[in-house]
Amino acid sequence: LSVDIASWNTFWNYAALANTSVDTFYDMDTYAASYADFESALIYANSTLPCSKIGVALITQNVNTGSPLSYEEVEERFTLVESYGIRRIAIWDMPLPAYWWNRTSSFLNISLGGIPPLQVQSYTLSPTEFDANQPANLNLNLTVKGGLPPYLYELLLDGQMFFATTAPEPNLTLTVPLGVLVVGNHTFSVIVTDQEDTTILTLNKTIVVNPDPQITLFTANITNNLTVDQSVLLQVRVIGGTPPYTYTWYVNGQKLPTSNTSSKIVIRNLDAGENQVSVVIEDSAGYTIITKLFTIDVVTPQTIITYSPTPSLSRSPSSD
């Protein structure tokens, strides 16, 4: 049996109530706007009622201003309740901010006799592959469970801590700007520490920084003195960067409709004279490079006219 009581009504004689068979008395006096009033009400309840029968009423917002209590204010009240060994609370009202759920969960863990072990629930990092001279901006999403909030999150790059933040929530979502990293592989991890100084370390994530792509445009065909009816096969070779690549081919500044993801192209119907070919290559990290102009000379075939004179007719002398 539980009963709500309040000292402002003389009907509720706390000393007399202490001797009843009621299991829990929820003290309405602790629905207080200020911490001082909350503390005073809790001291009075604890001095007149057995601790095992006290239930503390907690309010989510300042009744005088209508503003939600801050995490620090909530933490302060929970800490006082726990210092008295009180194991029952009532909260007014819904919906509860996220930090209320986390702090309430911690309170219940203590009330039930233990705190679940701190552990990683999920951990993602993306993207993890970049080109040299490209700023590495990572999206981190880490969720832990158990332990006692708030949590300290320490971010490590190659084993060295470069950023830290404290949050009451068990979920950390951040955009992490690492700047330009040197070419090669790097490790990323997070150390999480709860209020009880329990520490866990996430698995290492590997960040790959590729060298800038190098390109070579070549052909096995003869590219001088081609005729307009001849075709030419061109191919580009890419080393470095972050595959896959896309290729956009241009002839004399005009994009070819056959541009695609192929590193080879057959070009036909070139104009007579010098034709300038280039290709724009973009890797999956967004790095773009353009080849030097490749010249193909095309000549107009000469038309050869052959003249054959009509043979003259001659009369053979007749024999008499």
Side-chain angles (χ1 to χ4, degrees), residues 91-211:
I91 302 174
W92 181 267
D93 60 1
M94 298 292 283
L96 292 181
Y99 55 83
W100 269 92
W101 287 110
N102 296 327
R103 194 59 183 85
T104 302
S105 175
S106 299
F107 175 81
L108 293 176
N109 288 333
I110 295 173
S111 299
L112 296 174
I115 301 173
L118 179 63
Q119 55 187 305
V120 175
Q121 184 170 357
S122 63
Y123 171 39
T124 61
L125 188 71
S126 65
T128 56
E129 195 166 2
F130 302 90
D131 286 342
N133 302 312
Q134 178 189 23
N137 295 319
L138 310 178
N139 297 312
L140 169 66
N141 196 310
L142 172 64
T143 301
V144 299
K145 62 179 180 179
L148 187 63
Y151 304 98
L152 171 65
Y153 299 93
E154 297 174 276
L155 279 54
L156 283 71
L157 180 66
D158 296 329
Q160 300 296 316
M161 194 271 286
F162 67 93
F163 178 78
T165 184
T166 301
E169 294 83 6
N171 177 265
L172 179 67
T173 300
L174 283 177
T175 297
V176 185
L178 296 181
V180 176
L181 301 177
V182 299
V183 172
N185 291 351
H186 301 267
T187 59
F188 182 95
S189 58
V190 183
I191 296 175
V192 185
T193 305
D194 72 355
Q195 187 171 285
E196 297 295 305
D197 288 331
T198 301
T199 297
I200 56 173
L201 175 65
T202 65
L203 295 175
N204 280 333
K205 299 283 189 181
T206 300
I207 301 170
V208 179
V209 180
N210 297 308

Side-chain angles (χ1 to χ4, degrees), residues 45-81:
N46 191 65
S47 66
T48 54
L49 296 169
C51 178
S52 60
K53 290 191 174 187
I54 298 175
V56 176
L58 296 169
I59 196 165
T60 61
Q61 64 181 15
N62 187 313
V63 293
N64 296 328
T65 64
S67 300
L69 296 183
S70 67
Y71 171 77
E72 290 74 19
E73 291 175 303
V74 174
E75 175 67 24
E76 191 175 35
R77 298 187 188 206
F78 267 105
T79 300
L80 183 62
V81 171

Side-chain angles (χ1 to χ4, degrees), residues 34-45:
S34 71
Y35 177 78
D37 290 343
F38 176 83
E39 183 180 32
S40 176
L42 191 53
I43 290 173
Y44 177 73

Side-chain angles (χ1 to χ4, degrees), residues 1-3 5 11-25 48-50 52-53:
L1 175 65
S2 63
V3 177
I5 60 175
F11 173 79
W12 300 110
N13 184 321
Y14 282 31
L17 291 172
N19 297 315
T20 66
S21 59
V22 173
D23 298 305
T24 305
F25 295 101
T48 54
L49 296 169
S52 60
K53 290 191 174 187

